[in-house]
mmCIF file of all heavy atoms in Angstrom:
data_model
loop_
_atom_site.group_PDB
_atom_site.id
_atom_site.type_symbol
_atom_site.label_atom_id
_atom_site.label_comp_id
_atom_site.label_asym_id
_atom_site.label_seq_id
_atom_site.Cartn_x
_atom_site.Cartn_y
_atom_site.Cartn_z
ATOM 1 N N THR G 239 88.404 99.837 86.274
ATOM 2 C CA THR G 239 88.025 101.238 86.038
ATOM 3 C C THR G 239 89.296 102.071 85.882
ATOM 4 O O THR G 239 90.389 101.637 86.241
ATOM 5 C CB THR G 239 87.247 101.827 87.234
ATOM 6 O OG1 THR G 239 88.159 102.012 88.332
ATOM 7 C CG2 THR G 239 86.114 100.930 87.672
ATOM 8 N N ILE G 240 89.122 103.289 85.381
ATOM 9 C CA ILE G 240 90.232 104.249 85.406
ATOM 10 C C ILE G 240 90.340 104.731 86.846
ATOM 11 O O ILE G 240 89.339 105.078 87.475
ATOM 12 C CB ILE G 240 89.954 105.421 84.445
ATOM 13 C CG1 ILE G 240 90.020 104.914 82.988
ATOM 14 C CG2 ILE G 240 90.951 106.543 84.658
ATOM 15 C CD1 ILE G 240 89.581 105.895 81.955
ATOM 16 N N ALA G 241 91.558 104.734 87.381
ATOM 17 C CA ALA G 241 91.753 105.097 88.790
ATOM 18 C C ALA G 241 91.344 106.545 89.049
ATOM 19 O O ALA G 241 91.861 107.453 88.405
ATOM 20 C CB ALA G 241 93.220 104.892 89.172
ATOM 21 N N VAL G 242 90.394 106.743 89.966
ATOM 22 C CA VAL G 242 89.981 108.107 90.324
ATOM 23 C C VAL G 242 90.040 108.341 91.830
ATOM 24 O O VAL G 242 89.944 109.468 92.283
ATOM 25 C CB VAL G 242 88.540 108.435 89.841
ATOM 26 C CG1 VAL G 242 88.482 108.572 88.348
ATOM 27 C CG2 VAL G 242 87.542 107.413 90.344
ATOM 28 N N HIS G 243 90.175 107.273 92.596
ATOM 29 C CA HIS G 243 90.185 107.440 94.050
ATOM 30 C C HIS G 243 91.426 108.240 94.477
ATOM 31 O O HIS G 243 92.550 107.825 94.213
ATOM 32 C CB HIS G 243 90.228 106.071 94.753
ATOM 33 C CG HIS G 243 88.915 105.384 94.788
ATOM 34 N ND1 HIS G 243 88.232 105.057 93.652
ATOM 35 C CD2 HIS G 243 88.145 104.961 95.834
ATOM 36 C CE1 HIS G 243 87.089 104.458 93.986
ATOM 37 N NE2 HIS G 243 87.016 104.384 95.298
ATOM 38 N N ASP G 244 91.190 109.368 95.117
ATOM 39 C CA ASP G 244 92.293 110.112 95.724
ATOM 40 C C ASP G 244 92.270 109.761 97.207
ATOM 41 O O ASP G 244 91.543 110.357 97.993
ATOM 42 C CB ASP G 244 92.095 111.618 95.500
ATOM 43 C CG ASP G 244 93.225 112.431 96.119
ATOM 44 O OD1 ASP G 244 93.951 111.875 96.972
ATOM 45 O OD2 ASP G 244 93.371 113.604 95.766
ATOM 46 N N PHE G 245 93.058 108.739 97.544
ATOM 47 C CA PHE G 245 92.965 108.211 98.914
ATOM 48 C C PHE G 245 93.403 109.225 99.965
ATOM 49 O O PHE G 245 92.894 109.227 101.077
ATOM 50 C CB PHE G 245 93.743 106.892 99.032
ATOM 51 C CG PHE G 245 93.095 105.787 98.267
ATOM 52 C CD1 PHE G 245 93.652 105.313 97.082
ATOM 53 C CD2 PHE G 245 91.890 105.241 98.690
ATOM 54 C CE1 PHE G 245 93.030 104.294 96.353
ATOM 55 C CE2 PHE G 245 91.259 104.231 97.967
ATOM 56 C CZ PHE G 245 91.835 103.763 96.805
ATOM 57 N N ASN G 246 94.336 110.113 99.598
ATOM 58 C CA ASN G 246 94.752 111.129 100.570
ATOM 59 C C ASN G 246 93.629 112.119 100.840
ATOM 60 O O ASN G 246 93.416 112.540 101.979
ATOM 61 C CB ASN G 246 96.013 111.854 100.084
ATOM 62 C CG ASN G 246 97.237 110.956 100.248
ATOM 63 O OD1 ASN G 246 97.258 110.098 101.131
ATOM 64 N ND2 ASN G 246 98.229 111.126 99.407
ATOM 65 N N ALA G 247 92.871 112.459 99.777
ATOM 66 C CA ALA G 247 91.725 113.363 99.962
ATOM 67 C C ALA G 247 90.646 112.682 100.813
ATOM 68 O O ALA G 247 90.020 113.313 101.673
ATOM 69 C CB ALA G 247 91.154 113.765 98.608
ATOM 70 N N ILE G 248 90.457 111.368 100.571
ATOM 71 C CA ILE G 248 89.463 110.619 101.362
ATOM 72 C C ILE G 248 89.888 110.570 102.829
ATOM 73 O O ILE G 248 89.081 110.796 103.730
ATOM 74 C CB ILE G 248 89.275 109.185 100.787
ATOM 75 C CG1 ILE G 248 88.581 109.257 99.417
ATOM 76 C CG2 ILE G 248 88.450 108.322 101.749
ATOM 77 C CD1 ILE G 248 88.514 107.931 98.666
ATOM 78 N N ARG G 249 91.194 110.318 103.053
ATOM 79 C CA ARG G 249 91.693 110.294 104.447
ATOM 80 C C ARG G 249 91.422 111.650 105.121
ATOM 81 O O ARG G 249 90.996 111.713 106.272
ATOM 82 C CB ARG G 249 93.194 110.003 104.472
ATOM 83 C CG ARG G 249 93.546 108.558 104.226
ATOM 84 C CD ARG G 249 95.039 108.289 104.411
ATOM 85 N NE ARG G 249 95.342 106.921 104.035
ATOM 86 C CZ ARG G 249 95.749 106.552 102.820
ATOM 87 N NH1 ARG G 249 95.927 107.452 101.876
ATOM 88 N NH2 ARG G 249 95.997 105.286 102.551
ATOM 89 N N LYS G 250 91.708 112.722 104.370
ATOM 90 C CA LYS G 250 91.532 114.070 104.925
ATOM 91 C C LYS G 250 90.073 114.292 105.322
ATOM 92 O O LYS G 250 89.780 114.787 106.409
ATOM 93 C CB LYS G 250 91.967 115.100 103.864
ATOM 94 C CG LYS G 250 92.210 116.469 104.435
ATOM 95 C CD LYS G 250 92.854 117.377 103.403
ATOM 96 C CE LYS G 250 93.027 118.774 104.000
ATOM 97 N NZ LYS G 250 93.534 119.714 103.026
#
Side-chain angles (χ1 to χ4, degrees):
T239 71
I240 291 172
V242 289
H243 282 59
D244 180 343
F245 291 107
N246 285 332
I248 291 172
R249 284 186 186 93
K250 197 171 177 185

